[in-house]
Amino acid sequence: VKVARCVEEACEGGTLVRHGEARCFIEGFKEWLEASGKEFPQPAEAFMPELVRWMSLESTMNKYRDQVGLWQDGATGAHELRYVTLEFNSSFTPPKSQKRTEAVYKIWEEVMLRANGEA
């Protein structure tokens, strides 16, 4: 997504996302795992315990608390990942005509459909 092209006049710089203006928790998680000598991606059984451990760090919470929705069952103590969000600063520069806005919107929709299909 960070390098998705946008040749529409309403986009700046030829990409949908302004250069370097994306925030994704998985990149921070990967860096932390690798700095800890652990593999990425994690095996399925290790993912949740490692994610919970990482999210309990103050530095992680300060940066990613709005991107990762963890829920803990009060009875069992088990954690569940309820949602994740990714943040991008679009290169789209309003105000633009409806025609130009719709063209960029369609590109975003195509990019997100592809990204979700790969998830």
Side-chain angles (χ1 to χ4, degrees), residues 56-119:
S56 69
L57 301 172
E58 185 177 347
S59 60
T60 302
M61 284 299 291
N62 290 339
K63 189 170 183 179
Y64 298 108
R65 92 178 72 210
D66 296 334
Q67 289 193 346
V68 179
L70 288 174
W71 176 80
Q72 185 173 16
D73 184 304
T76 66
H79 286 87
E80 182 179 309
L81 182 60
R82 292 280 175 107
Y83 68 87
V84 297
T85 63
L86 309 175
E87 297 175 23
F88 302 101
N89 188 349
S90 176
S91 67
F92 174 73
T93 54
K96 300 290 184 202
S97 68
Q98 179 178 355
K99 182 178 179 180
R100 290 182 178 154
T101 300
E102 284 180 356
V104 175
Y105 178 79
K106 286 179 182 177
I107 294 170
W108 265 112
E109 286 292 307
E110 290 169 6
V111 167
M112 295 314 300
L113 283 171
R114 261 194 325 272
N116 287 332
E118 295 170 3

Side-chain angles (χ1 to χ4, degrees), residues 10 30 41:
K30 179 180 187 283

